[in-house]
Amino acid sequence: MAMKTLWALIVGLSGLLLVGASQPPTSLDPGAVASPEGYPVRNDLLVRSCGACHQMDEEGRMSRISFLRKTPEGWQASLQRMVALQGVRLDPATAANIVRYLSNEQGLAPEELRPVHFEVERRRVGMEYPDDNTLETCGACHSMGMAMTQRRSPEEWELLAATHQGYYPRVDGQRFRRGGARPGEFPVERALEHLKEAYPLATREWAEWSANRGPARIEGDWILEGWEVGRGAVFGRVEITPVAGSADEFTTRIRYHYPEDGETLVREGRVILYTGFQWRGRSTEVGGEGAASRMQAEGTRGELREVMFVERDWGEIHGRWFTGAHDEFGLDVRLRRAGSAPVVAGVFPESLRSGSAPTELRIFGAGLPVDLRPQDVELGQGVEVEAVVASHPDSLRLRVRVSGEAPVGARDLRLRGQVVPRALVVYDRVDYLVLEPFAGLARIGGIVMPKQYQPFEAIAWHSGLDGRRGTDDDVRIGRVAVTWDLVEYPVTFEDDDARFVGTIDARGLFTPGADGLNPERAGDRNNMGDVWVRARHRPEGEGGRVLEARTHLVVSAPLYMHWDNWMLEPEVTP
């Protein structure tokens, strides 16, 4: 406690001195902008825990706190920072209560969070931001999603910039006050103008959502469909049960199946629904059939974190489940409510080759007819359902034959009057491969800092009717089996990155090398570098032809600055 208090004092004093020494422009003066906005605080625990520093005015607004809106992750990060830097002591129950209150009363509306939901999902995306100056000013150190998931009063945006200058004094020379578009203009000033306009505290979306928000009615049975890079499609069921005495807590029981490798997993979990639509949960594997999953094999002990978005009509929930310890591993998940009518979640395989031998096609869903006949299923011209091999309310097994003259392209599935558009595709050849993701990033580690892995998968494509690769009529065939290896990405003479950066296994999972100096490498260099990831595929029945695809992989330094503040003591983490 004494060390934390001393550290907070040192940071606070040095921040004040450095801000004063750098002479920031007048617009960064916290007192220069007054705001009539703000939300009264009506939570006794919050007032008692934070009121010593955050003063309350006559309208019940607390300084700083009342002039912000954030996601649950944003509010938790604020509490973690207070604990780490200001010596605040909070027991887990109090911290959880404060995060829940602030997320519900000063959160984001669905329309505000939807464009940037990737940030809380910990999803790596390539995005374009409309303001280049703000992207360069803020995005040089962290994702723009950190700014986009906040709403602040004008004064609070100014104070945020001042906080950066206090905690990270070099930021002025690195970006804030360097490289302005016009003489005498600093990038941070233009960025603040943009942030105030783009992400104000008071919005129509939040006002409308606050007036309409109520307990979400999500209990019941749901159909699960998803995708995991490296393993493909996943289908299953989720049972959601309310926790007695709580309007926003639920338990879950999940059973899902990977049709490609045959593994079935069962999970049990618990969920808090923040702001009426923000699903935050954790689930643990309680049983499985077949080999251990990749995520479990990487040391996660079967626990997954769940970040999802509940749609307004309570009919669909979508998002991402990831491991937490290594958030590069995860599933994209979509839940749809199961009702009395049959619902098709998807099919496997997702493509059928024309002229091939009879193939088993599996249909996954809920309430599927168990008395199905071959004539009840239609898949378009050239695709014949020869037999119903097995039927269950959650899955059907069909034997289908595709003629050699079947047209190439997407096919609708018609099942006793229900139509599933573009449920699968028919193809006659594989024209090219695409590796996903389109570029990879891994980080060395394992000694001082954790490793960051990078999974890949190969997707086969048909060039479509025009026969040209990369045009709009191309047909996605789906995942195919490939052989993987690493190829040198030459940057310097006698470049040898491919020997040291790491290894890629038969599943397409890249494991980086260890952090620190490597005495086996010239100059005792570390194991960083960049390489080509190469995949080779030999299409069946195409005379031994081999297709090849590559993607660029950067193996970088460990992530020393972790914005989740993972070094906090467990007993004070909400």
Side-chain angles (χ1 to χ4, degrees):
M1 177 66 181
M3 286 299 296
K4 284 190 175 181
T5 304
L6 177 60
W7 172 244
L9 180 61
I10 292 173
V11 171
L13 291 176
S14 62
L16 290 172
L17 291 173
L18 289 165
V19 170
S22 65
Q23 296 181 347
T26 305
S27 63
L28 290 182
D29 180 4
V33 181
S35 173
E37 305 168 325
Y39 300 95
V41 173
R42 299 185 177 90
N43 182 281
D44 292 338
L45 275 177
L46 173 57
V47 174
R48 290 199 303 269
S49 301
C50 307
C53 296
H54 296 272
Q55 300 299 311
M56 181 175 288
D57 65 16
E58 62 278 4
E59 297 183 25
R61 301 176 302 184
M62 299 183 72
S63 62
R64 303 300 304 269
I65 296 173
S66 290
F67 303 91
L68 309 170
R69 290 194 287 118
K70 299 182 181 183
T71 62
E73 289 80 3
W75 285 117
Q76 177 171 288
S78 295
L79 261 65
Q80 290 174 330
R81 188 168 58 252
M82 296 299 100
V83 170
L85 300 181
Q86 305 301 333
V88 173
R89 305 299 295 179
L90 294 174
D91 62 81
T94 299
N97 181 290
I98 292 173
V99 168
R100 187 177 301 191
Y101 171 81
L102 290 171
S103 300
N104 289 337
E105 302 303 324
Q106 294 173 225
L108 298 183
E111 295 79 8
E112 294 173 321
L113 185 58
R114 189 186 301 276
V116 70
H117 201 244
F118 66 84
E119 177 72 14
V120 290
E121 291 176 332
R122 301 194 183 184
R123 185 190 303 275
R124 298 183 201 170
V125 299
M127 65 168 292
E128 295 183 1
Y129 192 75
D131 187 86
D132 290 340
N133 175 76
T134 303
L135 177 61
E136 294 170 2
T137 303
C138 304
C141 295
H142 56 73
S143 164
M144 273 305 301
M146 293 190 70
M148 297 168 68
T149 51
Q150 302 182 43
R151 298 296 184 272
R152 294 172 176 263
S153 67
E155 180 183 8
E156 272 303 320
W157 282 117
E158 300 276 354
L159 288 171
L160 180 63
T163 300
H164 280 63
Q165 290 174 311
Y167 285 153
Y168 314 108
R170 292 185 179 180
V171 74
D172 273 348
Q174 291 172 336
R175 184 58 195 170
F176 270 23
R177 305 188 68 200
R178 180 179 181 181
R182 294 182 291 272
E185 179 186 70
F186 299 116
V188 66
E189 294 176 323
R190 290 180 56 200
L192 285 171
E193 291 175 3
H194 169 78
L195 293 170
K196 292 174 188 177
E197 181 179 356
Y199 310 113
L201 181 64
T203 65
R204 183 185 67 182
E205 291 81 5
W206 177 246
E208 292 178 351
W209 179 250
S210 298
N212 284 284
R213 176 170 58 89
R217 308 300 184 189
I218 62 172
E219 63 274 8
D221 292 331
W222 296 74
I223 304 167
L224 182 153
E225 56 184 287
W227 187 273
E228 181 184 343
V229 173
R231 299 191 71 186
V234 55
F235 301 102
R237 299 288 291 269
V238 179
E239 181 182 354
I240 302 176
T241 304
V243 172
S246 175
D248 55 9
E249 291 186 65
F250 304 85
T251 60
T252 58
R253 183 169 178 84
I254 309 161
R255 182 182 179 89
Y256 57 96
H257 178 73
Y258 291 90
E260 185 172 312
D261 61 23
E263 184 179 21
T264 298
L265 298 176
V266 178
R267 315 186 67 84
E268 291 182 349
R270 195 175 183 95
V271 174
I272 296 178
L273 203 63
Y274 294 96
T275 333
F277 74 98
Q278 297 188 69
W279 173 303
R280 300 294 185 268
R282 290 176 185 257
S283 63
T284 303
E285 185 178 337
V286 295
E289 302 169 8
S293 69
R294 165 189 291 182
M295 290 179 291
Q296 189 177 16
E298 294 303 331
T300 62
R301 299 182 303 280
E303 181 179 86
L304 291 180
R305 300 183 185 183
E306 303 165 359
V307 175
M308 296 204 287
F309 189 110
V310 180
E311 292 293 346
R312 281 177 176 263
D313 62 0
W314 303 331
E316 181 176 328
I317 306 172
H318 53 86
R320 186 167 182 263
W321 300 352
F322 52 90
T323 64
H326 293 283
D327 53 36
E328 58 266 34
F329 296 123
L331 300 87
D332 295 330
V333 174
R334 178 190 180 203
L335 305 183
R336 286 184 290 163
R337 194 181 290 276
S340 56
V343 179
V344 174
V347 303
F348 181 85
E350 58 183 304
S351 59
L352 299 172
R353 187 185 181 99
S354 61
S356 60
T359 303
E360 182 176 278
L361 180 69
R362 300 181 64 183
I363 301 174
F364 296 90
L368 302 177
V370 296
D371 58 345
L372 194 71
R373 301 169 301 170
Q375 57 266 36
D376 295 331
V377 184
E378 298 178 44
L379 291 166
Q381 182 180 345
V383 182
E384 177 189 0
V385 179
E386 294 185 335
V388 177
V389 178
S391 58
H392 184 274
D394 289 348
S395 65
L396 304 171
R397 292 177 180 265
L398 313 177
R399 186 173 70 245
V400 301
R401 180 186 295 273
V402 185
S403 73
E405 292 75 35
V408 171
R411 299 301 180 89
D412 296 344
L413 166 64
R414 293 179 173 84
L415 181 67
R416 282 193 177 173
Q418 182 182 7
V419 179
V420 182
R422 307 178 70 86
L424 53 80
V425 301
V426 172
Y427 70 102
D428 59 0
R429 66 182 184 276
V430 178
D431 288 324
Y432 64 95
L433 301 179
V434 172
L435 302 189
E436 296 182 357
F438 69 92
L441 173 65
R443 297 182 184 276
I444 58 176
I447 297 178
V448 177
M449 302 296 290
K451 294 186 178 189
Q452 178 176 306
Y453 300 83
Q454 177 63 70
F456 292 94
E457 63 185 353
I459 307 298
W461 285 79
H462 186 284
S463 294
L465 295 176
D466 64 7
R468 292 186 295 136
R469 171 177 174 171
T471 57
D472 290 341
D473 72 342
D474 288 8
V475 178
R476 184 187 191 276
I477 297 171
R479 278 174 45 83
V480 290
V482 297
T483 57
W484 297 94
D485 65 352
L486 303 177
V487 179
E488 194 62 59
Y489 185 94
V491 177
T492 63
F493 290 109
E494 299 182 353
D495 210 349
D496 60 356
D497 292 346
R499 292 178 52 200
F500 297 102
V501 294
T503 60
I504 189 166
D505 67 14
R507 303 170 297 173
L509 174 62
F510 176 80
T511 300
D515 48 347
L517 303 181
N518 186 348
E520 297 182 7
R521 196 169 190 183
D524 288 346
R525 290 176 292 157
N526 56 40
N527 291 318
M528 294 190 296
D530 48 351
V531 294
W532 289 114
V533 172
R534 179 173 63 181
R536 293 175 175 177
H537 172 64
R538 191 184 301 272
E540 183 179 353
E542 296 192 20
R545 183 169 61 100
V546 176
L547 299 176
E548 179 179 309
R550 297 185 180 192
T551 191
H552 188 207
L553 169 65
V554 174
V555 183
S556 187
L559 194 62
Y560 293 107
M561 181 66 77
H562 200 293
W563 298 106
D564 282 343
N565 211 347
W566 53 270
M567 296 180 67
L568 281 179
E569 300 170 12
E571 64 268 23
V572 297
T573 304

